Amino acid sequence: MADPLPRLQALFEQERERFSAGRRVLSFDEYLTLLASAPERYTRDAARYLRDLFDHYGTTAVERPYGRTTRWKLFDLPWDDDAGRRDALVGHEQVQGEFYRAISNFARQGRVDRLVLLHGPNGSAKSTFVACVMRAMEHYATTDEGALYRYHWVFPRGRGGDASRIGFGAGVRPEDGPRAGESYAHLDEGAVEAKVLCELRDHPLLLLPVGVRQALLREVLGPDADARVPVELWKGGPCHKCQQVFGALHTAYRGDLRKVLAHVQIERWYVSRRYRVGAVTLGPQMAVDARERQVTASRSLAALPASMQYTALFEPSGELVDAAGGLIEYSDLLKRSLEHWKYLLLMIETGEVALDTSNLVPNLVLVGSSNEGHLDAFREHPEYASFRGRLDLVRAPYLTDWIAEKSIYDAQTQASEGRHVAPHATELAALFAVLTRMKRPAAERYAKPVASLAADLSPLEKADLYARGTVPSRLSGEQTRELSAAIGALYRESDVYPNYEGRTGASPREIRGVIADAGQHAGYRCLSPFAVLERLAELCTRVSEFDWLRQDAVANGYHDPKYFLRVLRERLAEESEDEFRTATGLVDEARYVETFERYVHHVSAQIKGEKIRNRLTGRDDPPDESMMKDIERNVGATGTAEEFRRNVISRVAAWAIDHPGEKVPYATLFPNHLQRLKEVFYQDHRRQVALLTRELLVLTREEGAGLDADARRRAEGNLAALKTRFGYCDHCAADAAAMLLKDRFADPKVA
Ligand SMILES: [Zn+2]
Ligand SMILES: [Zn+2]
């Protein structure tokens, strides 16, 4: 084995270089040079820092059936590895946008005047949201753009036997202390007698007297500097302790600011959730989050100027202090009684927290979370009205887009690396969760044609409308267009209701539990959709635990768990059959698209009064009327043929205008028509698919007993296609085949 030592030495050297390249320690003068190089960057408060952090990672436009939204990339944790990215925030683009708006307001005003309160049902990713922001802060703080600086006071040990230069222990004379241009910032640790920290991580510029500071800021930022820096940086001051140290040095050096600043060591700092630096989360059990204690009998005291040794020096501590310069999260804020957190609102009002001997002015963004029940109770509180203005309420509902919800559970199953995850297992779980959250549309809120379409929507149809943008196949072309255009309005309908869609329903926590249990099911080798359905049915019996199981069922299946389970079973059977049919290759998808394309071609020629070149005979023939009628019958066309044909052509033409030169995607433009064509074609082949499914079951469950060579080869080919195209394994393919033979192919017409 190679000697690891040289390699280790090289790593040490790299680490040392990284340390100095990171410009971790600076004198005050060096800091001013840095400040002048990027004045906006180095004059930020916590709110501006957070806003810049959002901007730093940028946004991406997300197209959903219910509209275009803006997603803030930081919530995808792009700097992290694959495993880390599983903690990303799924969906919630609206929450992101509102949080950004809140911090942008603070940044513009130059002060934080509200607590951002995320409210929603239990388990709606409020803490995941904040955790993502905090992780982004940790990463951003390591970049040049996100560099953060704090300061310490440094008192040197005597040099060359010069006792008078030992800190201040021997009593200092103004001619002692630092020489012109000297700084103690870079002293070796051995030459430092004492260091006094600023626990609040005050901005270094706060050390400059207000007049000097403002002149400097005008110098680097221009004459409108007062409008361009946070209020506290413009006219505030350092914390009480730093004020005391500053005052003592200032007196000792008879007002020579340069000598005072020679004691200042600026150091880069990094946000850390683990060590509670600039990012702190507090549970509801905490009571006091800021306190102070007197600094006694420490070496640092002996090194301070004589005048200070008779002053009681207090240092603040607590979570508000730990979070200084960054973000503090109060989870379940309203779970505490108002008495326990009223001071926070007062702090926001006045900008400071009163401690025993001093007032604390922490530079912080505050975010809280609450479930809807606690917020409702708080709204009834007599003092609510007076505090409402100090809260920025941001609603965080459950997701109602099942495709987004599914990715939460996909991340979970990837992380657990247990059994094979069968197709549809997480999909069914996500669909179930979303179905429990669906509200029946209030038809009276929509104009005429949409009103009745909305009233007829079942929860599953509504869920598919949101996630896939697909309308029920029972609708006509005209209705399809009307409803498609109304998806955004349906999705946002309940935004203004106190009982909005996404407030009540199964929590992702419960569904995660269901998936974890299903993954242990003794009857299956995979995480099976059948096991998920079983566990969901069990969940539905726990009526006393969940309010979403106690809602009155309304028309079309809303709030009806029995309906949810039934449609999920049907859905699973339909999709499995579709996959088996595709895997057998009996019904080629390209074929019905081609057929429809040919139909459009003939219709177009007919409308224009043109003929069509017959490829076989080379003659120009009129459009094939019987073929067109056939297709119209197969897709279930409504209205007159002429109307129907004009509609089809105008949709194709409209699409072509928007996408010149591109191939028309008939499958997405006319999904229902193509679905029906496919079904008609399939009728002829269903018996064969049933036969092939039986062969596949014999192959996987009985090692192919009794299959002849051809049948075995066919079954093997079909199994391989199920694996590569749809992600089955031997076990879950067998499970699905058994279900299909029992539920779908048991019909005597088929079997
Ligand atoms: Zn301080
Ligand atoms: Zn499997």
Side-chain angles (χ1 to χ4, degrees):
M1 200 171 138
D3 181 3
L5 204 58
R7 177 74 192 125
L8 198 59
Q9 297 291 5
L11 288 173
F12 288 160
E13 185 53 25
Q14 270 176 26
E15 181 59 25
R16 195 190 60 76
E17 279 165 16
R18 204 180 59 80
F19 182 87
S20 42
R23 282 175 303 179
R24 305 242 280 201
V25 172
L26 301 171
S27 69
F28 198 81
D29 285 355
E30 288 163 342
Y31 178 73
L32 290 184
T33 307
L34 184 69
L35 172 83
S37 73
E40 303 278 357
R41 183 190 298 173
Y42 295 111
T43 54
R44 295 182 286 194
D45 62 356
R48 289 180 184 201
Y49 188 78
L50 276 182
R51 181 206 51 195
D52 289 359
L53 161 94
F54 271 65
D55 291 337
H56 176 76
Y57 298 101
T59 60
T60 171
V62 185
E63 296 290 349
R64 305 260 193 249
Y66 39 89
R68 192 190 175 95
T69 57
T70 300
R71 181 164 179 84
W72 294 89
K73 289 189 206 160
L74 76 89
F75 293 97
D76 297 324
L77 312 176
W79 58 86
D80 218 331
D81 58 13
D82 287 353
R85 277 200 294 272
R86 286 182 196 133
D87 299 329
L89 178 75
V90 174
H92 289 307
E93 285 80 20
Q94 200 174 342
V95 184
Q96 299 168 15
E98 289 189 30
F99 187 85
Y100 180 74
R101 177 192 48 71
I103 54 174
S104 297
N105 283 341
F106 302 151
R108 225 179 354 263
Q109 292 158 13
R111 61 172 299 223
V112 175
D113 63 354
R114 280 156 187 254
L115 181 148
V116 183
L117 185 67
L118 304 176
H119 64 98
N122 287 326
S124 69
K126 297 179 285 296
S127 57
T128 305
F129 181 95
V130 179
C132 286
V133 175
M134 287 181 172
R135 285 170 70 155
M137 290 169 71
E138 289 178 329
H139 179 257
Y140 185 52
T142 64
T143 67
D144 286 347
E145 295 85 348
L148 290 161
Y149 290 88
R150 61 183 299 183
Y151 64 81
H152 316 296
W153 298 99
V154 173
F155 297 92
R157 195 184 288 276
R159 280 173 290 190
D162 181 356
S164 68
R165 291 176 60 86
I166 297 176
F168 283 85
V172 76
R173 301 184 311 263
E175 59 272 29
D176 299 328
R179 301 179 195 97
E182 192 186 11
S183 163
Y184 299 141
H186 298 292
L187 285 183
D188 283 343
E189 284 296 310
V192 172
E193 177 70 30
K195 227 174 182 182
V196 175
L197 305 186
C198 175
E199 287 79 10
L200 277 167
R201 291 187 282 277
D202 285 336
H203 194 287
L205 287 189
L206 291 177
L207 288 172
L208 295 174
V210 171
V212 176
R213 192 193 319 153
Q214 293 181 350
L216 171 77
L217 288 169
R218 284 204 184 90
E219 190 78 28
V220 294
L221 283 163
D224 59 343
D226 59 330
R228 295 176 62 186
V229 298
V231 175
E232 188 57 27
L233 191 60
W234 185 250
K235 54 187 189 193
C239 75
H240 186 226
K241 188 171 91 174
C242 292
Q243 188 63 58
Q244 286 176 296
V245 175
F246 180 91
L249 286 172
H250 200 243
T251 309
Y253 291 136
R254 313 239 164 109
D256 188 339
L257 204 52
R258 278 163 304 189
K259 289 194 172 185
V260 176
L261 295 174
H263 287 267
V264 174
Q265 180 189 56
I266 315 265
E267 190 187 24
R268 188 159 172 190
W269 65 277
Y270 297 88
V271 176
S272 164
R273 285 181 301 158
R274 174 179 297 199
Y275 300 111
R276 298 186 148 217
V277 182
V280 176
T281 296
L282 273 127
Q285 62 289 346
M286 60 62 60
V288 184
D289 48 14
R291 23 187 192 271
E292 58 185 359
R293 69 180 177 94
Q294 190 170 354
V295 186
T296 49
S298 79
R299 255 176 65 207
S300 62
L301 273 186
L304 296 183
S307 61
M308 288 213 61
Q309 292 174 26
Y310 304 101
T311 318
L313 209 54
F314 288 89
E315 65 184 31
S317 64
E319 287 82 357
L320 273 174
V321 176
D322 295 340
L327 182 65
I328 190 162
E329 177 197 13
Y330 293 88
S331 60
D332 278 325
L333 178 73
L334 304 183
K335 212 171 185 174
R336 313 154 227 244
S337 70
L338 181 60
E339 298 316 308
H340 281 117
W341 61 281
K342 207 165 158 180
Y343 73 94
L344 279 179
L345 296 176
L346 294 171
M347 174 179 100
I348 290 163
E349 189 110 35
T350 59
E352 52 190 33
V353 191
L355 298 181
D356 294 343
T357 68
S358 64
N359 286 336
L360 217 64
V361 187
N363 165 29
L364 275 175
V365 171
L366 301 97
V367 56
S369 63
S370 169
N371 68 25
E372 295 293 0
H374 288 132
L375 180 59
D376 284 347
F378 181 49
R379 284 192 167 113
E380 301 299 314
H381 194 282
E383 291 197 72
Y384 177 71
S386 58
F387 287 128
R388 173 65 186 88
R390 294 289 153 227
L391 295 173
D392 217 326
L393 296 178
V394 174
R395 189 162 76 189
Y398 289 140
L399 301 181
T400 51
D401 175 339
W402 68 259
I403 293 181
E405 183 84 4
K406 176 175 178 285
S407 51
I408 298 177
Y409 309 126
D410 288 341
Q412 175 191 356
T413 56
Q414 279 159 21
S416 69
E417 286 179 11
R419 298 177 174 192
H420 173 246
V421 181
H424 310 296
T426 55
E427 175 190 320
L428 288 189
L431 253 172
F432 178 85
V434 165
L435 288 175
T436 65
R437 301 166 190 165
M438 285 289 124
K439 284 175 76 75
R440 190 177 184 215
E444 68 279 7
R445 294 177 58 97
Y446 300 91
K448 208 60 195 258
V450 177
S452 61
L453 298 176
D456 290 345
L457 279 179
S458 75
L460 183 63
E461 288 170 345
K462 197 179 187 199
D464 280 336
L465 202 57
Y466 286 177
R468 289 175 164 166
T470 51
V471 301
S473 56
R474 58 186 162 77
L475 300 190
S476 72
E478 181 64 28
Q479 290 171 324
T480 299
R481 269 189 301 289
E482 294 282 359
L483 192 60
S484 298
I487 300 178
L490 283 161
Y491 184 77
R492 284 180 290 274
E493 179 200 306
S494 71
D495 279 3
V496 293
Y497 305 166
N499 189 13
Y500 51 87
E501 191 166 67
R503 173 174 172 157
T504 310
S507 145
R509 276 183 213 149
E510 282 132 27
I511 303 300
R512 279 202 183 100
V514 162
I515 292 175
D517 282 355
Q520 307 295 320
H521 196 294
Y524 302 95
R525 301 277 287 271
C526 312
L527 168 58
S528 162
F530 303 107
V532 169
L533 283 173
E534 261 185 52
R535 296 297 181 241
L536 286 173
E538 285 164 22
L539 185 75
C540 290
T541 62
R542 290 157 62 188
V543 178
S544 62
E545 288 171 65
F546 305 117
D547 54 1
W548 53 271
L549 285 170
R550 294 193 299 272
Q551 302 183 93
D552 291 332
V554 296
N556 300 350
Y558 291 90
H559 313 319
D560 181 355
K562 284 201 191 70
Y563 160 89
F564 303 154
L565 294 169
R566 181 167 54 77
V567 294
L568 290 181
R569 257 182 225 111
E570 280 165 16
R571 174 78 157 235
L572 176 61
E574 269 164 30
E575 298 207 331
S576 307
E577 184 175 343
D578 209 34
E579 286 160 353
F580 274 62
R581 159 173 62 190
T582 308
T584 59
L586 282 175
V587 186
D588 183 3
E589 282 150 288
R591 216 181 105 198
Y592 37 83
V593 175
E594 262 167 38
T595 306
F596 195 76
E597 201 170 357
R598 186 157 158 265
Y599 167 76
V600 171
H601 186 49
H602 282 240
V603 168
S604 164
Q606 189 206 39
I607 288 173
K608 292 187 212 149
E610 293 171 355
K611 293 195 166 181
I612 288 172
R613 166 79 35 101
N614 185 320
R615 276 193 221 142
L616 294 178
T617 62
R619 281 198 313 258
D620 286 334
D621 292 339
D624 185 345
E625 185 63 32
S626 71
M627 179 274 285
M628 291 189 284
K629 285 218 167 92
D630 246 14
I631 298 289
E632 283 152 13
R633 197 184 54 249
N634 285 342
V635 304
T638 51
T640 68
E642 202 199 333
E643 244 180 286
F644 182 80
R645 291 175 193 179
R646 285 207 176 277
N647 265 329
V648 167
I649 292 302
S650 68
R651 291 198 69 191
V652 173
W655 190 91
I657 289 168
D658 291 343
H659 306 82
E662 288 177 45
K663 195 169 160 40
V664 182
Y666 292 101
T668 39
L669 216 50
F670 302 97
N672 292 346
H673 294 345
L674 286 161
Q675 181 61 31
R676 288 204 190 105
L677 278 185
K678 184 171 160 182
E679 280 158 17
V680 169
F681 284 174
Y682 180 47
Q683 281 317 314
D684 305 339
H685 298 284
R686 199 152 183 240
R687 186 188 285 266
Q688 273 169 286
V689 174
L691 195 75
L692 293 171
T693 301
R694 187 169 302 286
E695 287 174 358
L696 193 138
L697 188 63
V698 172
L699 176 74
T700 47
R701 287 266 166 91
E702 294 157 37
E703 295 171 346
L707 295 181
D708 65 25
D710 276 352
R712 177 181 283 274
R713 210 175 316 113
R714 273 199 304 269
E716 279 166 354
N718 292 337
L719 180 62
L722 283 172
K723 288 180 182 176
T724 51
R725 293 200 57 179
F726 303 109
Y728 284 90
C729 74
D730 287 1
H731 306 294
C732 49
D735 294 338
M739 178 274 290
L740 287 175
L741 289 166
K742 180 166 147 293
D743 293 356
R744 304 286 283 191
F745 300 141
D747 183 336
K749 284 203 297 287
V750 175

Coordinates of all heavy atoms in Angstrom, one line a residue, residues 91-116:
G91 N -42.6 21.3 -6.1 CA -43.7 22.2 -6.4 C -43.6 23.5 -5.5 O -42.5 24.0 -5.3
H92 N -44.8 24.0 -5.1 CA -44.8 25.2 -4.2 C -44.2 26.4 -4.9 O -43.6 27.3 -4.1 CB -44.2 24.9 -2.9 CG -45.0 24.0 -2.0 ND1 -46.3 24.2 -1.8 CD2 -44.7 22.8 -1.4 CE1 -46.8 23.2 -1.0 NE2 -45.9 22.4 -0.8
E93 N -44.3 26.6 -6.2 CA -43.8 27.8 -6.8 C -44.5 29.0 -6.3 O -43.8 30.1 -6.2 CB -44.0 27.7 -8.3 CG -43.0 26.7 -9.0 CD -43.4 25.2 -8.9 OE1 -44.6 25.0 -8.6 OE2 -42.5 24.3 -9.0
Q94 N -45.7 28.9 -6.0 CA -46.4 30.1 -5.5 C -45.9 30.6 -4.1 O -45.7 31.8 -3.9 CB -47.9 29.8 -5.4 CG -48.8 31.1 -5.4 CD -50.2 30.8 -5.4 OE1 -50.6 29.6 -5.7 NE2 -51.0 31.7 -5.0
V95 N -45.6 29.6 -3.3 CA -45.0 30.0 -2.0 C -43.6 30.6 -2.2 O -43.3 31.6 -1.5 CB -44.8 28.7 -1.1 CG1 -44.3 29.1 0.3 CG2 -46.2 27.9 -1.0
Q96 N -42.9 30.1 -3.1 CA -41.6 30.7 -3.4 C -41.7 32.1 -3.8 O -41.0 33.0 -3.4 CB -40.9 29.9 -4.5 CG -40.6 28.4 -4.2 CD -40.2 27.6 -5.4 OE1 -39.8 28.2 -6.4 NE2 -40.2 26.3 -5.2
G97 N -42.7 32.3 -4.7 CA -42.9 33.7 -5.3 C -43.3 34.7 -4.2 O -42.8 35.8 -4.1
E98 N -44.1 34.2 -3.2 CA -44.6 35.1 -2.2 C -43.5 35.4 -1.2 O -43.4 36.5 -0.6 CB -45.9 34.5 -1.5 CG -47.0 34.6 -2.5 CD -48.3 34.3 -1.8 OE1 -48.5 34.5 -0.6 OE2 -49.2 33.8 -2.5
F99 N -42.7 34.4 -0.9 CA -41.6 34.6 0.1 C -40.6 35.6 -0.5 O -40.2 36.5 0.1 CB -40.9 33.2 0.4 CG -39.9 33.3 1.4 CD1 -40.3 33.2 2.8 CD2 -38.6 33.5 1.1 CE1 -39.3 33.3 3.8 CE2 -37.6 33.6 2.1 CZ -38.0 33.5 3.5
Y100 N -40.4 35.4 -1.8 CA -39.4 36.3 -2.5 C -40.0 37.8 -2.5 O -39.2 38.7 -2.3 CB -39.2 35.9 -3.9 CG -38.3 36.8 -4.7 CD1 -36.9 36.8 -4.5 CD2 -38.7 37.7 -5.7 CE1 -36.0 37.6 -5.1 CE2 -37.9 38.5 -6.4 CZ -36.5 38.4 -6.1 OH -35.6 39.3 -6.8
R101 N -41.3 37.9 -2.7 CA -41.9 39.2 -2.7 C -41.7 39.8 -1.3 O -41.4 41.0 -1.2 CB -43.4 39.1 -3.0 CG -44.2 40.4 -3.0 CD -45.7 40.2 -3.0 NE -46.2 39.1 -2.1 CZ -46.2 39.2 -0.8 NH1 -45.8 40.3 -0.2 NH2 -46.7 38.2 -0.1
A102 N -41.9 39.0 -0.2 CA -41.8 39.5 1.1 C -40.4 40.0 1.4 O -40.1 41.2 1.8 CB -42.2 38.5 2.1
I103 N -39.4 39.2 1.1 CA -38.0 39.6 1.4 C -37.5 40.8 0.4 O -36.8 41.6 0.8 CB -37.0 38.5 1.3 CG1 -37.0 37.7 0.0 CG2 -37.2 37.5 2.5 CD1 -35.9 36.7 -0.1
S104 N -38.1 40.8 -0.8 CA -37.8 42.0 -1.6 C -38.3 43.3 -1.1 O -37.7 44.3 -1.2 CB -38.4 41.8 -3.0 OG -37.8 40.6 -3.6
N105 N -39.5 43.2 -0.4 CA -40.1 44.4 0.2 C -39.2 44.8 1.4 O -38.9 46.0 1.5 CB -41.5 44.1 0.8 CG -42.5 44.1 -0.3 OD1 -42.3 44.6 -1.4 ND2 -43.6 43.4 -0.1
F106 N -38.7 43.9 2.2 CA -37.8 44.2 3.3 C -36.6 44.9 2.7 O -36.1 45.9 3.2 CB -37.4 43.0 4.1 CG -38.5 42.2 4.7 CD1 -38.4 40.8 4.9 CD2 -39.7 42.8 5.0 CE1 -39.4 40.1 5.4 CE2 -40.7 42.1 5.6 CZ -40.6 40.7 5.8
A107 N -36.1 44.3 1.6 CA -34.8 44.8 1.0 C -35.0 46.2 0.5 O -34.2 47.1 0.7 CB -34.4 43.9 -0.1
R108 N -36.2 46.5 -0.1 CA -36.4 47.8 -0.6 C -36.6 48.8 0.5 O -36.1 49.9 0.4 CB -37.7 47.7 -1.5 CG -37.6 48.5 -2.8 CD -38.8 48.4 -3.7 NE -39.9 47.6 -3.2 CZ -40.1 46.4 -3.7 NH1 -39.3 45.8 -4.5 NH2 -41.2 45.7 -3.2
Q109 N -37.3 48.4 1.5 CA -37.5 49.3 2.6 C -36.3 49.5 3.5 O -36.2 50.5 4.3 CB -38.6 48.8 3.6 CG -40.0 48.8 3.0 CD -40.9 47.8 3.7 OE1 -40.5 47.3 4.8 NE2 -42.0 47.4 3.1
G110 N -35.3 48.6 3.3 CA -34.1 48.8 4.1 C -34.3 48.3 5.6 O -33.4 48.5 6.4
R111 N -35.4 47.7 5.9 CA -35.5 47.1 7.2 C -36.6 45.9 7.1 O -37.4 45.9 6.3 CB -35.9 48.1 8.2 CG -37.2 48.8 8.0 CD -37.6 49.7 9.2 NE -37.7 48.8 10.4 CZ -38.7 49.0 11.3 NH1 -39.6 50.0 11.1 NH2 -38.8 48.2 12.3
V112 N -36.5 45.0 8.1 CA -37.4 43.9 8.2 C -38.5 44.3 9.1 O -38.3 44.5 10.3 CB -36.7 42.7 8.7 CG1 -37.7 41.5 8.9 CG2 -35.6 42.2 7.8
D113 N -39.7 44.5 8.6 CA -40.8 45.0 9.5 C -41.9 44.0 9.6 O -43.0 44.4 10.1 CB -41.3 46.4 9.0 CG -41.9 46.3 7.6 OD1 -41.9 45.2 7.0 OD2 -42.5 47.3 7.1
R114 N -41.7 42.8 9.2 CA -42.7 41.8 9.4 C -42.1 40.4 9.6 O -40.9 40.2 9.2 CB -43.6 41.6 8.1 CG -44.6 42.7 8.0 CD -45.0 42.8 6.6 NE -45.9 44.0 6.4 CZ -47.2 43.8 6.2 NH1 -47.8 42.7 6.1 NH2 -48.0 44.9 6.0
L115 N -42.8 39.5 10.2 CA -42.4 38.1 10.3 C -43.2 37.4 9.2 O -44.4 37.5 9.1 CB -42.8 37.6 11.7 CG -42.5 36.1 12.1 CD1 -42.2 36.0 13.6 CD2 -43.6 35.2 11.7
V116 N -42.5 36.6 8.4 CA -43.1 35.9 7.4 C -43.7 34.6 8.0 O -43.0 33.8 8.5 CB -42.1 35.5 6.2 CG1 -42.9 34.8 5.1 CG2 -41.5 36.8 5.7

